[in-house]
């Protein structure tokens, strides 16, 4: 009975509240400001300032690091924000082709807020070769938003990062070392840096200057015996010698280094979630040269272009001067995601598409090679 009584009281109160609902709402509307709503909000404006999208970047400095590596410093139109470890897409027109390529950022995050950013480039391939041989200060390039998740994640990662770098794979770690030194990132960094010889080490002077209680650098030479260096390849034995406790491993370098390091890390029982690997751009495949025809629909336009079986579909479209979207060029970001209408293709390495994409016939042209004539719908850049 008591329960029924309470229920009746509350039911009565609710009815009263309900009766007052409309007059209360009217009263509040009458008392409200008649000023028009703001066209934009501070939080959106700040986000837009920090992530301005594609912008112009003037090349202001070129520095030769090693025989086949240079660092290019740009002044951007607008300041922007990035996380140490991310990459930028740099693009320009070469002849009739619209070309772009992702490059790891070597400068510190705080520099980008002052409209300066540096990218370190190893000479290889069409666009890097162009930069190496033809780019000069004063040239203006298109620079995309910072992308990639090869970054420190405070919730997921240990407080200690063990970096394994090979060759120009040191680039994101140099940016991280600067971020840790400046206090923008809170972790300790032990860098194992593998190179064939001392001459091939990039940023040696700069890295040595950053060594502190938070940053350690161990240089490992594979083809040269020299005092003050470790020798051979970066493996479990070296990690045991220099690091202990809980750590996250981040790797950036050539595929052969990943294959070796992965086997070695298995013997250390590091959980897979604590091992991160930066994806490499997909290059040419080792296959017999065949020529195919691609029919490409972009918006209301249709193009018929040739495609070399050894090059990715993305490269074929760029060579033909089509303006097509790309960022990571490694199948990871989904930016080039296109719809296959007909034809066959092979994927370089692991298939990183979502299950639904594979099922409904979508592909990533950046990491797919043509195996027949093809027809596809590509989004506008
Ligand atoms: S450019 Fe990133 S998936 Fe193709």
């Amino acid at each position: 009975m008591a329960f029924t009584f309470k229920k009746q009281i509350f039911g009565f109160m609710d009815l009263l509240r309900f009766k007052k609902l409309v007059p209360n709402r009217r009263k509040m509307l009458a008392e409200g400001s008649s000023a028009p709503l703001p066209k934009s909000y501070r939080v959106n404006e700040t986000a837009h300032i920090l992530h301005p999208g594609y912008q112009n970047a003037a090349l202001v400095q070129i520095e030769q690091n090693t025989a086949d590596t240079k660092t290019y410093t740009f002044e951007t139109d607008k300041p922007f924000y990035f996380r140490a470890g991310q990459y930028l897409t740099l693009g320009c027109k070469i002849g009739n082709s619209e070309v772009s390529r992702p490059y790891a950022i070597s400068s510190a995050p705080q520099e980008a807020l002052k409209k300066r950013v540096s990218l370190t480039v190893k000479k290889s391939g069409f666009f890097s070769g162009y930069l190496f041989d033809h780019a000069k200060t004063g040239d203006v390039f298109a620079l995309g938003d910072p992308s990639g998740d090869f970054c420190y994640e405070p919730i997921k990662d240990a407080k200690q990062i063990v970096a394994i770098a090979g060759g120009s794979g040191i680039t994101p770690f140099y940016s991280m070392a600067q971020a840790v030194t400046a206090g923008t990132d809170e972790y300790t960094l032990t860098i194992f840096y593998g190179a064939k010889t001392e001459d091939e080490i990039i940023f040696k002077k700069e890295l040595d200057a950053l060594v502190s209680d938070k940053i350690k650098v161990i240089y490992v030479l594979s083809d040269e015996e020299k005092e003050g260096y470790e020798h051979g390849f970066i493996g479990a034995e070296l990690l045991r010698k220099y690091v202990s406790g809980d750590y996250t491993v981040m790797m950036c370098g050539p595929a052969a280094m990943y294959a070796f390091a992965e086997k070695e890390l298995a013997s250390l029982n590091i959980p897979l979630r604590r091992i991160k690997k930066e994806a490499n751009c997909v290059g040419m495949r080792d296959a017999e040269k065949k020529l195919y025809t691609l029919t490409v629909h972009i918006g209301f336009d249709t193009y018929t272009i040739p495609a070399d079986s050894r090059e990715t579909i993305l490269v074929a479209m760029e060579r033909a001067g089509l303006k097509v979207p790309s960022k990571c060029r490694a199948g990871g970001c989904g930016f080039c995601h296109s719809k296959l209408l007909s034809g066959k293709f092979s994927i370089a390495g692991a298939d990183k598409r979502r299950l639904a994409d594979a099922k409904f016939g979508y592909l990533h042209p950046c990491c797919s090679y043509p195996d027949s004539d093809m027809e596809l719908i590509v989004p506008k850049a």
Side-chain angles (χ1 to χ4, degrees):
M1 285 303 283
F3 174 71
T4 311
F5 173 72
K6 262 191 191 169
K7 202 175 158 194
Q8 280 172 350
I9 289 283
F10 281 113
F12 179 67
M13 295 300 288
D14 283 346
L15 193 64
L16 271 185
R17 268 191 222 112
F18 181 70
K19 278 191 76 181
K20 284 186 179 169
L21 201 68
V22 173
N24 278 349
R25 192 174 289 164
R26 286 207 175 111
K27 189 170 164 248
M28 284 167 87
L29 284 172
E31 286 170 1
S33 166
S34 58
L37 287 172
K39 289 216 166 59
S40 67
Y41 293 90
R42 285 271 297 277
V43 63
N44 294 344
E45 285 163 14
T46 308
H48 188 66
I49 290 168
L50 294 174
H51 308 282
Y54 266 90
Q55 60 170 317
N56 285 339
L59 182 56
V60 291
Q61 193 183 317
I62 304 172
E63 195 186 336
Q64 181 110 29
N65 303 111
T66 65
D68 62 354
T69 317
K70 287 184 184 178
T71 294
Y72 298 83
T73 301
F74 299 88
E75 233 163 59
T76 56
D77 277 356
K78 298 170 197 159
F80 64 98
Y81 169 81
F82 74 90
R83 294 196 295 157
Q86 287 192 299
Y87 66 83
L88 286 170
T89 305
L90 186 70
C92 71
K93 194 158 184 168
I94 304 175
N96 288 328
S97 306
E98 294 278 351
V99 193
S100 68
R101 197 185 181 286
Y103 291 111
I105 304 171
S106 50
S107 49
Q110 61 270 25
E111 287 298 306
L113 296 173
K114 294 183 238 163
K115 303 201 282 189
R116 261 180 103 86
V117 68
S118 300
L119 306 175
T120 299
V121 176
K122 186 181 164 80
K123 189 178 184 181
S124 70
F126 179 47
F127 190 49
S128 304
Y130 169 81
L131 283 179
F132 223 81
D133 296 333
H134 301 288
K136 53 186 187 317
T137 54
D139 288 353
V140 176
F141 293 81
L143 204 62
D145 258 343
S147 307
D149 52 10
F150 191 66
C151 303
Y152 176 69
E153 303 286 354
I155 295 175
K156 206 168 122 200
D157 293 325
K159 283 274 176 210
Q160 181 180 201
I161 297 292
V162 170
I164 298 182
S168 57
I170 189 63
T171 307
F173 300 125
Y174 177 42
S175 179
M176 287 183 196
Q178 292 170 81
V180 170
T181 303
T184 41
D185 280 16
E186 293 281 324
Y187 50 85
T188 64
L189 185 61
T190 302
I191 303 174
F192 291 87
Y193 182 10
K196 285 185 181 155
T197 62
E198 188 187 40
D199 287 346
E200 292 191 12
I201 295 175
I202 310 166
F203 302 129
K204 169 116 182 28
K205 197 162 42 85
E206 293 85 347
L207 286 166
D208 286 345
L210 292 173
V211 169
S212 66
D213 55 340
K214 287 182 168 179
I215 295 163
K216 257 195 262 177
V217 187
I218 299 109
Y219 301 100
V220 186
L221 302 181
S222 62
D223 292 11
E224 188 179 38
E225 288 282 333
K226 214 153 191 186
E227 206 180 316
Y229 292 91
E230 292 288 352
H231 299 95
F233 297 104
I234 303 162
E237 201 183 313
L238 272 182
L239 262 67
R240 275 195 206 97
K241 181 172 168 185
Y242 287 98
V243 286
S244 58
D246 194 18
Y247 54 82
T248 293
V249 177
M250 296 179 77
M251 297 194 276
C252 186
M257 184 195 89
Y258 290 161
F260 180 81
E262 270 164 357
K263 264 193 223 144
E264 294 286 307
L265 292 173
S267 70
L268 295 171
N269 292 325
I270 302 167
L272 276 182
R273 69 189 157 84
R274 287 277 168 88
I275 300 176
K276 298 182 178 185
K277 194 169 74 174
E278 179 65 319
N280 288 323
C281 287
V282 174
M284 280 185 90
R285 73 169 156 176
D286 193 10
E288 189 194 338
K289 178 175 174 170
K290 287 184 189 160
L291 274 187
Y292 296 120
T293 300
L294 301 184
T295 306
V296 182
H297 304 279
I298 303 176
F300 293 115
D301 298 319
T302 299
Y303 306 87
T304 305
I305 60 165
D308 183 327
S309 57
R310 299 167 303 170
E311 292 184 332
T312 63
I313 297 165
L314 177 63
V315 170
M317 293 191 289
E318 288 176 340
R319 279 197 188 281
L322 305 190
K323 230 175 166 181
V324 288
S326 75
K327 260 191 183 178
C328 70
R329 302 180 82 96
C333 70
F335 211 63
C336 64
H337 180 259
S338 301
K339 172 87 175 130
L340 177 73
L341 297 181
S342 67
K344 287 191 278 182
F345 64 96
S346 304
I347 297 171
D351 186 351
K352 295 179 188 158
R353 292 173 300 167
R354 291 175 303 174
L355 283 180
D357 282 345
K359 184 172 170 188
F360 295 111
Y362 286 87
L363 77 161
H364 294 156
C366 68
C367 59
S368 304
Y369 300 104
D371 289 333
S372 70
D373 291 343
M374 295 175 73
E375 185 172 3
L376 58 161
I377 302 171
V378 178
K380 278 188 180 175

